[in-house]
Amino acid sequence: MIFIINTTLDADVVPTLLYITLVFMSANIFSIPVFVTVAITSIAFLTFSFIADGGYRDEKQISAYVRCLVALTTITLLALRSKRSSENLRRKEAFFMGAQKLSHTGSIGFMIDKDETISWSAESARIFEYPREVTPTVALIKDRTHPDDLAVVDGVLQRAARQEKHLEAEHRLRMPDGRIKYVHMIANPLFNHDGRVEYVGAVRDVTASRQAEEALFHSQAKLAHVTRVTSMGELAASIAHEINQPLAAVITSGESCKRWINRPEPNLDEARRSLDRIIQNSCRASEVIACIRALSRQSDVQRNIEVFDDIVSDSLNLMQHEISSHQVRLSVEARAQSACVNADRVQLQQVIINLIVNACQAMAEIHDRPRSLRISTSVQDNEAVLEVADCGTGIAQDILATLFDPFFTTKQNGLGMGLAICRSIIEFHGGRIWVASTVGVGTQFMFAIPLTVPGDHK
Ligand code: ADP
């Protein structure tokens, strides 16, 4: 351009420079159609003044006019090209930002170095709730991170420092007004600057789906509570018997204790033995009552480290009468060897009780063979496994798949929610429940939940 201006520095150069300036300015200010109109008008004016001044008669002026025309046209085309690409860029950015906003996903780039340099998109700034103009830093991210989840962020930074291929984490943010947000971050290394790796990733605001999951979880827990209380109503007679039995034993032992003491020569040894039986049976009654209270307590889920076999034997304590009233012979094989699980005791008891009740009901119509129920626990592949095997009617293969669906029942007064709730409880514990059955032979329900080591808090 300097060359063109230098070689055209004659009478026509000043208007040409003015036209060029005008074209540049309109390229910056106006849309493409207006800009093209301005450019064509400038060329038209240049040509008009060339003709009006009679420049076509002078060879020198013709060549000056051609040079100006070439300069103006070239600059118009160049400006048009750059305007098109910048508009394309703007459109792409708008699409990109629109998609980020709609999907609540921001982009983020970072490098593990002294300055812990970060860059992020407008959506990432919105997710972390910082003004767009604030320069992002690791410190700002940590500032927003929930104090209990800082270790998660530090873990990601450490893995990035080790230049791991794939980073993924989910953690909570705590906003200045106390609101909690959940974000899911995923990043991969993209560039390598002299041994320093730059990660590029996405940050997604998953608060809405986590809240929906929590709401679903609470309604499931409430439903589990309601069905637990309902089934306790159905088991009331059996449960009352479980309390009555030790109370009757307390009375009998109390009376015999009185007799041993009232003898002319009191037999204190026998009296002591009677008292021991009284204490034993009172404890048993209070254990049963504690179990019932726990089963009917509010629906809040409380996971603790529990001994798996203890949960099973607690459930059996409540079911002894139910089992014997169905003339069922019970055999128990507790082989989980003090294996611990991180579980809500009451919820697991609910599952076990439900499986036992179903097994007893499935054997109610069996008269041609002994009704036997086998309950066994074991440890397999880092999981605590429970099997409830009956020799009842069995289940047809074609309905096995629908058994765990809500409201599936073959019983006249059944609700069909028992197994559906069992499955949601087991899945909540990170486990799985399954069934095997042969019609006319019997059914085995099994569930497995991950083991935990005491001191672990998942
Ligand atoms: P409900 O007991 O109210 O019917 P469940 O969800 O507990 O609801 O059980 C669903 C169905 O699964 C039962 O109606 C029954 O047909 C079948 N079922 C469950 N356990 C057994 C079992 N041990 N033997 C045979 N059928 C069973």
Side-chain angles (χ1 to χ4, degrees), residues 354 358-359 362 390 393-395 403 408-411 414-420 443 445:
N354 196 74
N358 276 349
D390 64 57
T393 48
I395 305 163
L403 223 53
F408 174 82
T409 183
T410 55
K411 296 173 194 163
L415 186 61
M417 283 306 291
L419 290 177
T443 305
F445 275 92

Side-chain angles (χ1 to χ4, degrees), residues 429-447:
H429 284 81
R432 65 218 147 81
I433 182 166
W434 68 101
V435 59
S437 187
T438 312
V439 176
V441 177
T443 305
Q444 303 89 48
F445 275 92
M446 282 140 296
F447 73 75

Side-chain angles (χ1 to χ4, degrees), residues 68-272:
C68 287
L69 196 63
V70 168
L72 198 55
T73 315
T74 313
I75 277 160
T76 302
L77 290 175
L78 285 177
L80 187 64
R81 215 178 109 175
S82 101
K83 194 164 171 61
R84 274 222 176 104
S85 42
S86 72
E87 278 204 355
N88 259 345
L89 215 60
R90 257 205 299 278
R91 258 166 69 89
K92 276 186 186 153
E93 199 186 342
F95 278 146
F96 180 65
M97 280 167 55
Q100 287 207 351
K101 207 167 176 182
L102 280 175
S103 63
H104 303 291
T105 308
S107 49
I108 190 162
F110 59 93
M111 234 175 349
I112 298 298
D113 55 11
K114 276 202 299 297
D115 325 317
E116 297 193 319
T117 329
I118 284 193
S119 58
W120 63 23
S121 66
E123 186 56 18
S124 296
R126 197 199 60 75
I127 290 172
F128 285 94
E129 297 189 12
Y130 283 115
R132 180 72 186 100
E133 57 282 3
V134 163
T135 312
T137 59
V138 170
L140 284 184
I141 290 185
K142 283 190 176 176
D143 229 39
R144 285 282 194 259
T145 302
H146 192 290
D148 294 349
D149 290 356
L150 275 172
V152 178
V153 176
D154 286 336
V156 169
L157 294 174
Q158 280 159 17
R159 282 159 54 205
R162 288 197 299 271
Q163 305 196 345
E164 280 187 21
K165 284 230 163 63
H166 180 76
L167 304 177
E168 191 165 0
E170 188 170 318
H171 63 93
R172 287 165 299 168
L173 304 181
R174 194 169 66 185
M175 295 302 140
D177 58 5
R179 267 175 310 120
I180 301 293
K181 279 183 163 186
Y182 293 81
V183 288
H184 183 259
M185 194 277 301
I186 183 162
N188 287 328
L190 197 69
F191 304 114
N192 198 322
H193 308 273
D194 308 324
R196 290 179 317 147
V197 171
E198 181 171 7
Y199 282 87
V200 175
V203 180
R204 194 151 64 92
D205 183 348
V206 289
T207 312
S209 59
R210 287 294 160 274
Q211 280 168 348
E213 272 170 23
E214 252 169 47
L216 179 68
F217 169 70
H218 281 301
S219 19
Q220 276 178 344
K222 280 210 176 94
L223 185 63
H225 177 239
V226 170
T227 50
R228 202 156 60 226
V229 172
T230 315
S231 62
M232 274 175 60
E234 285 163 11
L235 293 172
S238 294
I239 291 171
H241 191 269
E242 297 301 335
I243 303 166
N244 266 341
Q245 221 178 16
L247 286 184
V250 166
I251 294 167
T252 318
S253 306
E255 273 168 0
S256 60
C257 178
K258 215 163 78 183
R259 276 200 304 277
W260 291 120
I261 291 171
N262 283 344
R263 280 185 165 197
E265 239 180 76
N267 187 336
L268 291 182
D269 281 343
E270 283 300 339
R272 240 178 250 121

